[in-house]
Amino acid sequence: MRIGILTSGGDCPGLNAVIRGVVLKGTTAYGLDFVGIRDGWRGVVDGDFFPLSRHDVKGLSKVGGTILGTSRTNPYEGPRGGAENIARTLEDAGIDGILAIGGEGTLAAADRLWKDGINVLGVPKTIDNDLRATDYSFGFDTAVNIATDAMDRLRTTGDSHQRCMVAEVMGRHVGWIALHAGVAAGAHVICIPEVPMSIDEICRQVTSAHDRGRAPLVVVSEGFTITGMDEAHSHKGLDAFNRPRLGGIGELIAPEIERITGIETRATVLGHIQRGGSPSAFDRVLATRLGLHAADALVDGAWGQMVAMRGTDIVRVQFDEALGELNTVPLYRYEEAAALFG
Amino acid sequence: MRIGILTSGGDCPGLNAVIRGVVLKGTTAYGLDFVGIRDGWRGVVDGDFFPLSRHDVKGLSKVGGTILGTSRTNPYEGPRGGAENIARTLEDAGIDGILAIGGEGTLAAADRLWKDGINVLGVPKTIDNDLRATDYSFGFDTAVNIATDAMDRLRTTGDSHQRCMVAEVMGRHVGWIALHAGVAAGAHVICIPEVPMSIDEICRQVTSAHDRGRAPLVVVSEGFTITGMDEAHSHKGLDAFNRPRLGGIGELIAPEIERITGIETRATVLGHIQRGGSPSAFDRVLATRLGLHAADALVDGAWGQMVAMRGTDIVRVQFDEALGELNTVPLYRYEEAAALFG
Amino acid sequence: MRIGILTSGGDCPGLNAVIRGVVLKGTTAYGLDFVGIRDGWRGVVDGDFFPLSRHDVKGLSKVGGTILGTSRTNPYEGPRGGAENIARTLEDAGIDGILAIGGEGTLAAADRLWKDGINVLGVPKTIDNDLRATDYSFGFDTAVNIATDAMDRLRTTGDSHQRCMVAEVMGRHVGWIALHAGVAAGAHVICIPEVPMSIDEICRQVTSAHDRGRAPLVVVSEGFTITGMDEAHSHKGLDAFNRPRLGGIGELIAPEIERITGIETRATVLGHIQRGGSPSAFDRVLATRLGLHAADALVDGAWGQMVAMRGTDIVRVQFDEALGELNTVPLYRYEEAAALFG
Amino acid sequence: MRIGILTSGGDCPGLNAVIRGVVLKGTTAYGLDFVGIRDGWRGVVDGDFFPLSRHDVKGLSKVGGTILGTSRTNPYEGPRGGAENIARTLEDAGIDGILAIGGEGTLAAADRLWKDGINVLGVPKTIDNDLRATDYSFGFDTAVNIATDAMDRLRTTGDSHQRCMVAEVMGRHVGWIALHAGVAAGAHVICIPEVPMSIDEICRQVTSAHDRGRAPLVVVSEGFTITGMDEAHSHKGLDAFNRPRLGGIGELIAPEIERITGIETRATVLGHIQRGGSPSAFDRVLATRLGLHAADALVDGAWGQMVAMRGTDIVRVQFDEALGELNTVPLYRYEEAAALFG
């Protein structure tokens, strides 16, 4: 059986460890034959394949990014896209099935292709931890470690200058990175998309920390929204002075905090450093295990499913189960942490 | 209500984060009064207490070790030990209950004291991850990260010199650290207490990796035993040349591998660096959450129980459930990883 | 003899190690008496002093920031400022001399105060490495390590997406951090204040790297200026589309590169994380040695001088020597590195 | 001109960065042709060469170890060794000169070969920093960072258990790693080969730290010798109880400290982790610069010389200058640090 492997969407630490895991087990335990697909669905549509042997994956568990390349191509678009064309392209290359490693968009496309008759198995990938059906996804732990380390550094500057430091972390739709990194770094305010807050509430918490002699540390997800702000500010991309705003939410909040509380405030947008580089040990183990179990699932012909983490086990889940609703931070988890801020 | 907090047994990254979590939530949400107990059960027996306020725990989530100190004292020993004496000592100090953070021995003592009428709540602590009733324990993730980082380093030396590198990691009774760090670092042989192996089997795997052009990387738990070796060697602390052996199992295995395979082999015993220093973000979050939930449990009077992690939740578990049998690596987890070695 | 110690200007990893070094040697070897001055010159002017004993500096070599606090106050301003007032304030507190740890502005003020009769000794502090008279200054090595680590991470994202990644690092007037971190991380373009370039030249180098199959990595000092750009763009804070520009130079360059080369480009502004957190071993050793030698210089009454690094030695330098001209990157150092880019 | 590159002796972080630097500049600026020599002098003797292009060195600045392999072969030994044989082997392969990257032994062999008519240029490599003629050598900074990080971790365990922690670091003949890591980590005793001490003096310093309420931290070079110990102990490899000693000096000292002071003491031998893994930014920059300047020296035909660091400059030095005497820690550097211990 010949399997094509692709990685799709934003890169994420652990992608290479999945690839290594599935290729090592697939070749040695089951005699599977693998081809790499370049740049996600783009390579499927274009038939951009190359041989992928055991030798090609050696040493990959600690390497960030993806050796396969990635893109955001939709496999149903373009003159060579669509299930029928793709079926023919795969058949021409002797490929019996696809292992698609990606996030919500990738898995939705995988689901549609599978319903259209293509053999697809999925591995969930989301640095934001926003997929239901898996307790944790690889890349998340690495991102939280990087964000925590950055905030540990910001804290010493805050303490020395008696400043309020604002750190903007990843999370367009869910606040997991902000919640975990905020708890780990001892943040005094945690702003996540699931819990909109007014600027006054943020400032109340900042002032409370300041009054206890602390240099306030605020962590904010990129997808956080401020309630009660003039629509012009939050939605039209203007800052509080009606200037076009180009930066992120962290750069919007910081001057507001300074203006209202009178405490000198600085913002840092962590950005892309959160998703690159060598994965944490947790992510390497999780990604490797997902790859190993994916090899089993390929041999079992478990198409239309994805492998996922539940507790300490790796299980199989129908695509449907993973899609639809995001894995948001439940309110009790946010409130649990609130006791740390006072 | 006044609560005494103690940490007992070997130190572990995350102890301070537990202390911070329980004190912050206990004081701000419930108005509890805390005292620190110095050096584990030793401080209980001696009545060595000191006030522990919110101010004392600030900034602690990232600090390794324990501000309370620790020891391996048994609370039932000595002229001032035993439940009756301890009850009086606690009463004199106005202490209504104890939060005991520790491993199997600590929790067994806590269970006995509770059955003898002392209010005790537990928080499980084991860097080896050897306690049932909690999916993961804080400190384990940090240890795995440190061991993985060390093995990443050993690998470059192995590759440059075409040597076999042996890394001995913690784990007297269970092989979790070796298994996770070995998978994360891409080890070619993983030797754990749960799966005794002969030196010939180890050498077969080393040679196989060498024949594939790799510099063999072997990870071995300190509690691993070699099967089929002369009793004099493995049990009487003699090495293969009948010299008294002072080092660990790693230093025993390495010269044997070199002798049998002819491949130059070096051992490194990671030792104490695995348990010190700042906790990983995962461990800070886990330890903080255990502390927060411990505050709830204290207010609920959930004596005789401990807080624990199940999936992504924090739950309460009877002491009994956690004791007795160790959380060993199940065979299917070991075999799952075996596909990586070939 | 009683000495007041102050830290002034932006915080910097190693400040606490200097304080520890001078207090340990000053107290144990010479019997000096130390007081801490809060928040730089602000504390001198306000007479904001506190006792500083050997006990207060324990464990500080690895702690980022400054336990003394810092500010940008000018000691010659305000009703209580000026040499005469300060002399009286110091006399009232029984302070015989000041150890001022700071950058160009701090040392210029120190020089002026010394010429006005106040006993001042200096320790150079600049994370940018922009002071003449010292080969390296503490904080610089830490900043370069952090920037290098961040660029290692950005590179994996660049490779996976075939993107050009732009990293903006510190350096308003000099390009040392960009040069060293760029060489260490294998950047393909290094943009520093000392070597203005046109956007076309930058794009030529980006395209050249891209044509060799590399994901171009560009590092740019915050103080870099683009030549040949409409004055409106570079000086009036407008971007290439005449929109007000709020971000840094990195955020200006990135969209220009993408527009001209057609290569998808992303910018990351590393910002404050470069100056916080635990110092590197190099910076701890350098800062500690400066502190130890400062104690000798205090006892010698070497007022009007500062301690500095030359080769592997610590020497004394007149304030004058250190001031006036910045330690810029010499052209031969930039050209030396240019061979790496092609 | 065709140049063969070899790395010889123990591996060291930065070797690959040197190789990358010389190949990039040599090919692009001077049109040199490079071949890799496998496993040091072994590959010279055996004529084990392979092409080394610009493409082969991409991304290498951050990669630990050496892609060329290394060995401890003496080029004057064996049937194919000696200057005459080597000259013929090189001529047959069209190799005009050798760039030898190595330590004292390698450079001594290079010197002898050069005096016997072979074109050899050297790059100094010593993780111990034991070569005269270069202020610092690459690999040293990385080793000091790793040892410092390990000691930071040991300290939290020492503090929690009120133990004395002993860390054995590299340094057979010189104590630079122990001195710098000891100062950086705030060690209370530093034991280096240049300054033999009695066990009583060590215990006096340990007890002094303990009496000040500190958990004593002792760093010891592997080549340190204890004065006044029975010859049987220190020279015949017996421990204080006349048992054969297999471990390092750290494992010898620890039980002695515990026996004499009564303070519980634990030893950790850092071993090979100090020399592996990704180089620090400092080492990457230094190694890259040495490589770039080596390309210049090759074109200049500066045979019989090596490139070296002086202050912030890269200079050329005759082999003779670098050999003969080791770069030991001068007494004034040891005494300078002594003020930290008291």
Side-chain angles (χ1 to χ4, degrees):
Chain A
M1 189 159 65
R2 174 173 291 171
I3 302 295
I5 307 180
L6 67 83
T7 53
S8 175
D11 72 314
C12 185
L15 288 169
N16 282 325
V18 176
I19 297 166
R20 171 176 172 267
V22 69
V23 169
L24 282 184
K25 179 142 197 197
T27 52
T28 61
Y30 302 123
L32 298 182
D33 186 29
F34 290 98
V35 297
I37 301 173
R38 280 204 186 82
D39 304 339
W41 297 114
R42 205 272 305 151
V44 174
V45 170
D46 292 350
D48 195 349
F49 309 131
F50 60 100
L52 198 58
S53 73
R54 178 174 188 174
H55 182 79
D56 299 312
V57 301
K58 77 171 180 179
L60 280 192
S61 74
K62 70 167 193 165
V63 178
T66 165
I67 58 163
L68 302 178
T70 183
S71 72
R72 299 190 187 275
T73 301
N74 180 334
Y76 278 91
E77 286 177 3
R80 304 191 53 189
E84 259 179 76
N85 288 332
I86 287 174
R88 205 159 33 237
T89 304
L90 295 176
E91 198 182 353
D92 288 352
I95 295 176
D96 302 296
I98 291 176
L99 181 72
I101 314 171
E104 247 233 322
T106 303
L107 297 174
D111 188 38
R112 188 171 163 199
L113 283 170
W114 173 64
K115 284 167 178 162
D116 284 346
I118 314 267
N119 290 338
V120 192
L121 184 82
V123 177
K125 179 231 64 164
T126 152
I127 207 160
D128 292 341
N129 203 37
D130 63 2
L131 280 172
R132 285 189 312 153
T134 192
D135 277 5
Y136 289 107
S137 48
F138 62 86
F140 171 66
D141 183 65
T142 304
V144 172
N145 271 313
I146 295 170
T148 299
D149 180 65
M151 284 197 278
D152 283 351
R153 295 191 178 280
L154 295 180
R155 181 182 282 285
T156 62
T157 294
D159 285 340
S160 299
H161 290 268
Q162 294 157 43
R163 278 181 192 152
C164 173
M165 304 300 281
V166 176
E168 181 185 315
V169 300
M170 289 191 304
R172 270 183 218 282
H173 306 293
V174 304
W176 287 110
I177 293 177
L179 179 69
H180 278 232
V183 167
H188 302 96
V189 190
I190 296 181
C191 303
I192 61 176
E194 293 88 341
V195 185
M197 273 196 284
S198 69
I199 190 73
D200 288 337
E201 173 57 20
I202 294 171
C203 290
R204 196 196 59 72
Q205 295 183 19
V206 164
T207 302
S208 162
H210 192 255
D211 290 349
R212 296 197 308 274
R214 315 301 309 273
L217 178 62
V218 180
V219 56
V220 53
S221 305
E222 55 185 334
F224 172 73
T225 52
I226 303 180
T227 59
M229 269 196 93
D230 186 312
E231 203 176 85
H233 292 159
S234 49
H235 294 301
K236 293 195 188 150
L238 301 183
D239 69 11
F241 306 102
N242 279 312
R243 294 176 308 195
R245 173 165 65 87
L246 297 170
I249 181 76
E251 288 166 343
L252 169 64
I253 285 179
E256 289 295 287
I257 291 175
E258 179 163 323
R259 186 176 64 83
I260 295 171
T261 66
I263 302 165
E264 198 184 17
T265 304
R266 294 285 184 278
T268 300
V269 180
L270 298 185
H272 285 88
I273 60 166
Q274 295 166 88
R275 68 183 325 131
S278 189
S280 69
F282 182 97
D283 281 339
R284 296 189 201 181
V285 173
L286 171 55
T288 301
R289 294 184 72 198
L290 290 172
L292 294 169
H293 282 260
D296 300 340
L298 288 170
V299 167
D300 291 348
W303 313 116
Q305 301 182 46
M306 62 178 228
V307 287
M309 186 195 195
R310 285 272 172 77
T312 61
D313 292 322
I314 308 298
V315 299
R316 295 180 194 170
V317 179
Q318 288 293 321
F319 281 146
D320 297 3
E321 265 188 72
L323 303 173
E325 218 176 302
L326 285 180
N327 175 35
T328 51
V329 175
L331 192 59
Y332 77 87
R333 282 296 308 275
Y334 185 78
E335 285 172 346
E336 172 192 285
L340 300 169
F341 320 140
Chain B
M1 189 158 65
R2 174 173 291 172
I3 302 295
I5 307 180
L6 67 85
T7 53
S8 175
D11 72 315
C12 184
L15 287 168
N16 282 325
V18 176
I19 297 166
R20 171 176 172 267
V22 68
V23 169
L24 283 183
K25 179 143 196 196
T27 52
T28 61
Y30 301 123
L32 298 181
D33 186 27
F34 290 97
V35 298
I37 301 173
R38 280 203 186 82
D39 304 338
W41 297 114
R42 205 273 305 153
V44 174
V45 170
D46 293 350
D48 194 351
F49 309 130
F50 61 98
L52 198 58
S53 74
R54 178 175 188 171
H55 181 79
D56 299 311
V57 301
K58 77 171 178 179
L60 280 193
S61 74
K62 71 166 191 166
V63 179
T66 164
I67 58 163
L68 302 178
T70 183
S71 72
R72 298 189 186 275
T73 302
N74 180 333
Y76 278 90
E77 286 177 2
R80 304 191 54 189
E84 256 179 78
N85 287 331
I86 288 173
R88 203 159 36 237
T89 306
L90 296 176
E91 197 181 354
D92 289 352
I95 295 175
D96 302 296
I98 292 175
L99 180 72
I101 314 172
E104 247 233 322
T106 304
L107 297 173
D111 187 39
R112 185 168 166 201
L113 284 170
W114 173 65
K115 285 167 177 162
D116 283 348
I118 314 269
N119 291 337
V120 192
L121 184 81
V123 178
K125 177 231 65 163
T126 152
I127 207 161
D128 292 340
N129 204 38
D130 62 2
L131 280 173
R132 286 188 312 154
T134 191
D135 278 4
Y136 290 108
S137 49
F138 61 86
F140 171 66
D141 184 65
T142 304
V144 172
N145 271 312
I146 295 170
T148 300
D149 181 64
M151 284 197 277
D152 283 352
R153 295 190 178 280
L154 295 181
R155 181 183 280 288
T156 63
T157 293
D159 285 340
S160 300
H161 290 268
Q162 294 156 43
R163 276 182 195 154
C164 172
M165 304 299 281
V166 175
E168 181 184 314
V169 301
M170 288 191 304
R172 270 184 217 281
H173 305 294
V174 304
W176 287 109
I177 294 178
L179 179 69
H180 278 232
V183 167
H188 302 97
V189 191
I190 297 182
C191 302
I192 62 175
E194 293 87 342
V195 186
M197 273 196 283
S198 67
I199 190 74
D200 288 336
E201 173 57 20
I202 294 172
C203 289
R204 197 196 59 73
Q205 295 182 19
V206 164
T207 302
S208 161
H210 192 255
D211 290 348
R212 295 197 309 275
R214 315 301 309 274
L217 179 62
V218 180
V219 57
V220 53
S221 305
E222 55 185 334
F224 172 72
T225 51
I226 304 182
T227 58
M229 269 196 93
D230 186 313
E231 202 175 86
H233 293 158
S234 50
H235 293 303
K236 293 198 186 144
L238 301 184
D239 68 11
F241 306 101
N242 279 311
R243 293 177 308 196
R245 173 165 64 87
L246 297 170
I249 181 76
E251 288 167 344
L252 168 64
I253 286 179
E256 290 295 287
I257 292 175
E258 181 164 322
R259 185 176 64 83
I260 295 172
T261 65
I263 302 165
E264 198 183 18
T265 304
R266 293 284 184 279
T268 301
V269 180
L270 297 185
H272 285 88
I273 60 167
Q274 295 166 86
R275 69 183 323 131
S278 190
S280 69
F282 182 98
D283 281 339
R284 296 190 201 180
V285 173
L286 171 55
T288 301
R289 293 183 71 199
L290 290 172
L292 294 169
H293 282 260
D296 300 340
L298 288 170
V299 166
D300 292 349
W303 312 115
Q305 301 182 47
M306 62 177 226
V307 288
M309 186 196 195
R310 286 270 171 79
T312 61
D313 292 322
I314 308 298
V315 298
R316 295 179 195 171
V317 179
Q318 288 294 321
F319 282 145
D320 297 2
E321 263 188 74
L323 302 172
E325 219 178 302
L326 286 180
N327 176 34
T328 52
V329 175
L331 193 59
Y332 77 89
R333 281 298 308 276
Y334 185 76
E335 285 172 347
E336 173 192 285
L340 300 169
F341 319 141
Chain C
M1 188 158 67
R2 173 173 292 171
I3 302 295
I5 306 180
L6 67 83
T7 53
S8 175
D11 71 316
C12 185
L15 287 168
N16 282 326
V18 176
I19 297 166
R20 171 175 172 267
V22 69
V23 169
L24 282 183
K25 179 143 197 196
T27 52
T28 62
Y30 302 123
L32 298 181
D33 186 28
F34 290 97
V35 297
I37 301 173
R38 281 204 186 80
D39 303 339
W41 298 114
R42 204 273 305 153
V44 174
V45 170
D46 292 350
D48 194 350
F49 310 131
F50 61 99
L52 198 58
S53 74
R54 178 176 188 173
H55 181 80
D56 299 312
V57 301
K58 77 170 178 180
L60 279 192
S61 73
K62 71 167 192 166
V63 178
T66 165
I67 58 164
L68 303 178
T70 183
S71 72
R72 299 190 186 276
T73 301
N74 180 333
Y76 278 90
E77 285 177 3
R80 305 192 51 188
E84 257 180 77
N85 287 332
I86 287 174
R88 202 158 37 235
T89 305
L90 294 176
E91 198 182 354
D92 289 352
I95 295 176
D96 303 294
I98 291 175
L99 180 72
I101 313 171
E104 246 232 323
T106 303
L107 297 173
D111 188 38
R112 187 169 165 201
L113 284 170
W114 173 65
K115 284 167 179 163
D116 284 347
I118 314 268
N119 290 337
V120 192
L121 183 82
V123 177
K125 179 230 62 162
T126 152
I127 206 161
D128 292 341
N129 203 36
D130 64 1
L131 279 173
R132 285 189 313 153
T134 192
D135 277 5
Y136 289 107
S137 49
F138 62 86
F140 171 66
D141 183 66
T142 304
V144 172
N145 271 313
I146 295 170
T148 300
D149 180 64
M151 284 197 277
D152 284 351
R153 295 190 178 281
L154 295 181
R155 181 183 281 286
T156 63
T157 294
D159 285 340
S160 300
H161 290 268
Q162 295 157 42
R163 277 180 193 155
C164 173
M165 304 299 283
V166 176
E168 181 184 314
V169 300
M170 289 191 305
R172 270 183 218 281
H173 305 295
V174 304
W176 287 110
I177 292 177
L179 179 68
H180 278 232
V183 167
H188 302 97
V189 191
I190 297 181
C191 302
I192 62 175
E194 293 87 342
V195 185
M197 274 197 283
S198 68
I199 190 74
D200 288 335
E201 173 56 21
I202 294 171
C203 289
R204 197 196 58 73
Q205 295 183 20
V206 164
T207 303
S208 161
H210 192 254
D211 290 349
R212 295 197 308 275
R214 315 303 308 273
L217 179 63
V218 180
V219 56
V220 53
S221 305
E222 57 185 334
F224 172 73
T225 52
I226 304 181
T227 59
M229 270 196 92
D230 187 313
E231 202 174 85
H233 293 159
S234 49
H235 294 303
K236 292 195 187 149
L238 300 184
D239 68 12
F241 307 100
N242 280 311
R243 293 177 307 196
R245 174 166 65 85
L246 296 170
I249 181 76
E251 287 167 344
L252 169 64
I253 285 179
E256 289 296 287
I257 291 175
E258 179 163 323
R259 186 177 62 82
I260 295 172
T261 66
I263 302 165
E264 198 184 18
T265 305
R266 293 284 183 280
T268 300
V269 180
L270 297 185
H272 285 88
I273 60 166
Q274 295 165 88
R275 70 183 322 132
S278 190
S280 69
F282 183 98
D283 282 338
R284 295 190 201 180
V285 173
L286 171 54
T288 301
R289 292 184 72 199
L290 290 172
L292 294 169
H293 282 260
D296 300 340
L298 287 170
V299 167
D300 291 348
W303 312 117
Q305 301 182 47
M306 62 177 225
V307 288
M309 186 195 194
R310 287 271 172 79
T312 61
D313 292 322
I314 307 298
V315 299
R316 295 178 195 173
V317 179
Q318 288 294 322
F319 282 144
D320 296 4
E321 265 188 73
L323 302 173
E325 218 176 302
L326 286 180
N327 175 35
T328 51
V329 175
L331 193 58
Y332 77 89
R333 282 297 307 275
Y334 185 76
E335 285 172 347
E336 172 191 284
L340 300 170
F341 319 141
Chain D
M1 189 158 65
R2 174 173 291 172
I3 303 295
I5 307 180
L6 67 84
T7 53
S8 175
D11 72 315
C12 183
L15 287 168
N16 282 325
V18 176
I19 297 165
R20 172 177 172 265
V22 68
V23 169
L24 283 182
K25 180 144 196 195
T27 52
T28 62
Y30 301 124
L32 298 182
D33 186 28
F34 290 97
V35 297
I37 301 174
R38 280 203 186 84
D39 304 338
W41 297 114
R42 205 272 306 152
V44 174
V45 170
D46 292 350
D48 195 350
F49 309 131
F50 60 99
L52 199 58
S53 74
R54 178 176 188 172
H55 181 79
D56 299 312
V57 301
K58 77 172 179 179
L60 280 193
S61 74
K62 71 167 191 164
V63 178
T66 164
I67 58 163
L68 302 178
T70 182
S71 72
R72 298 190 187 275
T73 301
N74 181 334
Y76 278 90
E77 286 178 2
R80 304 191 55 186
E84 258 180 76
N85 287 332
I86 288 174
R88 203 159 35 235
T89 305
L90 295 176
E91 198 181 354
D92 289 352
I95 295 176
D96 302 296
I98 292 176
L99 180 72
I101 315 172
E104 246 232 323
T106 303
L107 297 173
D111 188 37
R112 186 169 165 202
L113 284 170
W114 173 64
K115 284 168 178 161
D116 284 346
I118 314 269
N119 290 337
V120 192
L121 184 81
V123 177
K125 178 230 66 163
T126 151
I127 206 161
D128 291 341
N129 203 37
D130 62 3
L131 280 172
R132 286 189 312 154
T134 191
D135 277 5
Y136 290 108
S137 49
F138 61 87
F140 171 66
D141 184 65
T142 304
V144 172
N145 271 312
I146 295 170
T148 301
D149 180 65
M151 284 198 278
D152 283 352
R153 294 191 179 279
L154 295 181
R155 181 183 280 288
T156 62
T157 294
D159 285 342
S160 300
H161 289 267
Q162 295 157 42
R163 278 182 194 153
C164 173
M165 303 300 282
V166 176
E168 181 185 314
V169 300
M170 288 191 305
R172 270 184 218 279
H173 305 294
V174 304
W176 287 110
I177 293 178
L179 179 69
H180 278 232
V183 167
H188 302 97
V189 191
I190 296 182
C191 303
I192 62 176
E194 294 88 343
V195 185
M197 272 196 284
S198 68
I199 190 73
D200 287 336
E201 174 57 21
I202 294 172
C203 289
R204 196 196 59 72
Q205 295 183 20
V206 165
T207 302
S208 162
H210 192 255
D211 289 349
R212 295 197 309 275
R214 314 302 309 274
L217 179 62
V218 180
V219 58
V220 53
S221 305
E222 54 184 335
F224 172 73
T225 51
I226 303 181
T227 59
M229 269 196 94
D230 186 312
E231 202 175 85
H233 293 158
S234 49
H235 293 302
K236 295 198 186 144
L238 300 183
D239 68 11
F241 306 101
N242 279 310
R243 292 177 309 195
R245 173 165 65 86
L246 297 170
I249 180 76
E251 288 166 343
L252 169 64
I253 286 179
E256 290 295 288
I257 292 175
E258 181 163 321
R259 184 176 64 84
I260 295 172
T261 66
I263 301 166
E264 198 184 17
T265 304
R266 293 284 184 279
T268 300
V269 179
L270 298 185
H272 285 88
I273 61 167
Q274 295 166 86
R275 67 184 324 133
S278 190
S280 69
F282 182 97
D283 281 339
R284 296 190 201 181
V285 172
L286 171 54
T288 302
R289 293 185 72 199
L290 290 173
L292 294 168
H293 282 260
D296 301 341
L298 288 171
V299 166
D300 291 349
W303 312 115
Q305 300 182 47
M306 62 177 226
V307 288
M309 186 194 194
R310 285 271 172 77
T312 61
D313 292 322
I314 307 297
V315 299
R316 295 179 196 172
V317 180
Q318 289 294 321
F319 280 145
D320 297 3
E321 265 188 73
L323 302 173
E325 219 177 301
L326 286 180
N327 175 34
T328 51
V329 175
L331 194 59
Y332 76 88
R333 281 297 308 277
Y334 185 78
E335 284 171 346
E336 173 192 286
L340 300 169
F341 320 141

